[in-house]
């Protein structure tokens, strides 16, 4: 084990990648705990966020935006639909396609999800100055772009990678 990072010796050639992997796993667990308080599971809030911002979307487009395969998209949509947060309906422009839209119950979750993401952010950046937070964000966005460039035809995340998020 590398004493500085806690990484196993087999990961010595990738200390940043190993740290990202560990951080992502721990961050996901924390987010999951906070989401359960809102009655949601991981990825459900991300799908709701897309729908809140863009309105009704084809189920296939939702999956592509979130980097999910068809089965994963269907599973998340089904759970949200069972909970009453979204509904599916045929796309009037293409009856073979399905549109997913947020229900009133799903809309009512928005404030709670926004608070949860604020809390998650505060816990994540605790102790970092605004300048350090901006450097961290810039670095993470650059790492995301680097990884996205290695995935041929990937649509997962480019919108996030293009967004300019700044702190004041």
């Amino acid at each position: 084990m590398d004493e500085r990072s806690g990484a196993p010796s087999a990961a010595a050639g990738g200390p940043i990648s190993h740290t990202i992997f560990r951080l992502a796993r721990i961050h996901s667990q924390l987010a999951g705990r906070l989401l359960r308080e809102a009655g949601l599971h991981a990825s459900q809030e991300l799908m709701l966020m897309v729908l809140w911002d863009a309105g009704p979307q084809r189920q296939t487009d939702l999956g592509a935006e979130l980097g999910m395969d068809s089965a994963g998209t269907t599973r998340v949509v089904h759970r949200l639909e069972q909970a009453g947060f979204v509904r599916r309906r045929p796309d009037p422009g293409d009856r073979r396609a399905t549109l997913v839209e947020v229900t009133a119950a799903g809309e009512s979750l928005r404030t709670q999800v926004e608070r949860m993401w604020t809390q998650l952010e505060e816990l994540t950046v605790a102790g970092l100055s605004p300048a350090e937070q901006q450097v961290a964000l810039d670095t993470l966005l650059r790492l995301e772009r680097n990884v996205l460039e290695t995935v041929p035809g990937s649509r997962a995340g480019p919108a996030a990678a293009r967004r300019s998020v700044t702190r004041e």
Side-chain angles (χ1 to χ4, degrees):
M1 282 257 197
D2 178 327
E3 290 180 24
R4 287 181 305 137
S5 69
S9 59
I16 292 172
S17 294
H18 186 264
T19 301
I20 289 170
F21 178 82
R22 283 189 0 252
L23 175 60
R25 185 172 37 84
I26 295 164
H27 193 265
S28 180
Q29 289 171 354
L30 176 57
R33 191 177 79 225
L34 295 171
L35 284 167
R36 281 189 293 280
E37 294 172 13
L40 294 171
H41 298 281
S43 299
Q44 291 178 331
E45 88 287 8
L46 298 175
M47 189 169 286
L48 286 169
M49 287 178 184
V50 170
L51 293 169
W52 289 329
D53 285 350
Q57 296 291 302
R58 286 184 176 190
Q59 191 164 314
T60 54
D61 293 340
L62 274 172
E65 175 68 23
L66 296 170
M68 301 171 78
D69 63 20
S70 178
T73 303
T74 299
R75 192 170 35 256
V76 173
V77 169
H78 178 74
R79 285 181 179 162
L80 286 168
E81 189 174 41
Q82 291 296 109
F85 300 137
V86 302
R87 70 178 138 258
R88 289 184 262 200
R89 62 179 170 89
D91 182 342
D94 181 354
R95 290 284 192 195
R96 296 168 298 169
T98 301
L99 286 179
V100 179
E101 62 187 1
V102 178
T103 64
E107 287 291 344
S108 72
L109 287 175
R110 186 175 184 141
T111 301
Q112 193 172 1
V113 168
E114 288 172 350
R115 275 195 311 264
M116 186 276 310
W117 274 96
T118 298
Q119 183 181 7
L120 183 61
E121 184 81 357
E122 289 168 352
L123 293 168
T124 301
V125 301
L128 296 179
S129 70
E132 290 171 319
Q133 291 176 39
Q134 188 62 54
V135 168
L137 179 60
D138 292 343
T139 302
L140 289 168
L141 289 170
R142 171 72 187 275
L143 294 171
E144 180 183 41
R145 281 190 302 273
N146 289 348
V147 173
L148 282 171
E149 289 174 4
T150 69
V151 183
S154 174
R155 286 181 48 197
R162 287 190 304 269
R163 283 193 280 271
S164 173
V165 180
T166 59
R167 297 196 175 281
E168 295 193 25

